[in-house]
Each structure stands twice: as C-alpha cells, then as structure tokens.
Amino acid sequence: MTLKGKTVLVVGRGGGIAGAVTLAARDAGAQVIAAGRSQDKLKAAYDGEPGITTEYVDLTDEASIAELGERLGTVDHIVSTASARARGKIADLDRDAVRASFDTKVIGPLMLAKHLAPRIKAGGSLTIFSGVAAAKIAVGTLAVAITNGAADVLARSLALELAPVRVNAVSPGVIDTGAWDGLGAGKDDYFRDISERNPARRIGTADDVAQTVLFAMTNTFVTGTTLRVDGGEPLT
C-alpha cells in the first residue's frame, strides 16, 4: 500500500486516529499535511517529524476550508477524521452539541469536497469517518448514530457525484485512543465487556484504523462504501 510521491491531507487532531493515519501515510511514502484548528498541538505532535507539515483549517468555517485549498493547490488524497460528539439520552441532548456534531462530521467534509475535490489529482480519493453507532443502535448514542449515518450516505453520494475521485467512509468501533479515558475506573470494565462480546475478542487500535484508511486511499477499485473496522461489534 504505497503512497510514494503522493500528497495526503489529514484533517484532525495531533494524536489518536488522526495521528496514526498521518504517521502511517508518511511511512507509506507520502508527504503529509496535518490540518486542524489547534496549530500549537499539531506542531507539538509533529515537530521534527520528516515528511509532515501542518496547516490551519476549521471544518465549521467554509471560508477557512476554501482558504486552505488556495494555499495547498493540488493534493492526491484527503482524509477527514474530525468529530464533535454529542452523547446522551434524548432528554439530555443539547441542541448546540448536536449541531456541532453534524457540522463537524457531515457538513465539514461536504465543504471539503466542495472546495478541495477539484484539486484532487487523477487517481486520488477522499476518505471521511462514520462510526459503529450508525450500525449498532443503542440508547444514549442517538445523536452520534444519526451523524454517523449521515456520513455513510454522504460518502455514497459524493462517490457518485465526484467520480472518478473515489470517496469512502471508515467506520471504527471501540478504539483505544484515549477518548474513553473519561470513563475513569470504568474504562477497564467497559473494554473488558466489549472484548468478551465482539467476535474479534479485543479492543481496536488506532493502527487498525490507519491501515484501513491506507487501503481506502490505495485500492483504486473501492469507492462509495463504508469500511467497517469494528471487530464485528454490530453482530453482538
């Protein structure tokens, strides 16, 4: 899965899944542009890393996306990992949080496609992120589920409209990236329960997801699909 000589834009944080994708793409031979709102954190994460530069973009600001496109010129592949979660039962959901979730994970990638798809070189791709909540409905994840479901539809719609640019979604399950640290002492119990029930019998890693993104970028016959990297969790 070589990306030698390619330019890859990765939108997201300086760690977690975005960080794993950035490093995996670089190790596969690409020149990587890591873009996001927190320049200090991105620069700290990739300071001294060869083959990686940083840029500013805010997916909730269309002008910011257009300006990024102007600065970059052309790219080969774009990956958007950004998200803003809105968890909780319906009675506890905050309207602004739900809006931010949709704005970041659906409208943001849509605007990326609007302004940057014309800059993607022949053979290139756009990869966005969905998530297991769209496939496994559970109480307390309604806002996450509808956001991820919309991302799945967005990938299929863009794949048709932007062809021959390939567009896919990657749908992670429970991944140990630090995002679950907020559970405190309950994190170990939660991970143990998931590991015992899913067919893979383990928790996913950021590298599991990064390798799936590399596949989406390099397999030129894959488009308009959601690649699930969730250990089979929706089957349980």
Side-chain angles (χ1 to χ4, degrees):
M1 294 192 290
T2 181
L3 291 169
K4 186 176 181 180
K6 305 299 184 181
T7 301
V8 177
L9 169 65
V10 180
V11 180
R13 299 186 297 117
I17 289 173
V21 171
T22 297
L23 294 175
R26 189 277 310 275
D27 292 345
Q31 291 291 315
V32 184
I33 302 145
R37 288 186 296 185
S38 179
Q39 287 298 283
D40 290 342
K41 291 181 180 179
L42 285 175
K43 289 177 180 178
Y46 303 119
D47 183 39
E49 288 283 357
I52 302 174
T53 58
T54 62
E55 275 282 359
Y56 173 81
V57 71
D58 181 351
L59 289 190
T60 67
D61 179 358
E62 184 176 356
S64 168
I65 296 170
E67 290 164 3
L68 175 65
E70 292 292 335
R71 292 195 300 272
L72 294 184
T74 59
V75 296
D76 292 284
H77 302 281
I78 299 171
V79 183
S80 178
T81 71
S83 65
R85 294 183 178 181
R87 291 186 177 276
K89 294 182 179 181
I90 189 168
D92 301 318
L93 285 175
D94 176 77
R95 184 184 183 91
D96 289 338
V98 175
R99 184 184 291 112
S101 176
F102 200 84
D103 204 9
T104 303
K105 206 165 186 178
V106 181
I107 299 177
L110 176 59
M111 293 298 103
L112 274 175
K114 175 182 176 180
H115 292 284
L116 272 71
R119 300 178 180 277
I120 295 177
K121 298 178 185 178
S125 70
L126 167 62
T127 303
I128 66 175
F129 267 67
S130 174
V132 71
K136 185 178 182 181
I137 303 302
V139 173
T141 63
L142 183 152
V144 180
I146 60 175
T147 300
N148 289 337
D152 289 334
V153 174
L154 176 62
R156 297 199 300 274
S157 300
L158 290 177
L160 188 61
E161 184 165 342
L162 301 182
V165 171
R166 294 179 297 103
V167 184
N168 295 291
V170 170
S171 177
V174 177
I175 308 296
D176 190 5
T177 61
W180 300 97
D181 291 351
L183 293 177
K187 174 184 172 181
D188 289 343
D189 291 338
Y190 180 68
F191 276 14
R192 187 180 304 110
D193 178 61
I194 294 294
S195 297
E196 289 174 352
R197 287 190 293 109
N198 73 27
R201 297 295 191 267
R202 68 175 178 87
I203 296 298
T205 69
D207 285 338
D208 291 328
V209 182
Q211 292 304 310
T212 305
V213 175
L214 288 186
F215 174 80
M217 287 192 281
T218 57
N219 190 311
T220 58
F221 205 54
V222 175
T223 191
T225 192
T226 296
L227 299 169
R228 305 195 185 283
V229 52
D230 55 23
E233 185 181 342
L235 301 174
T236 65

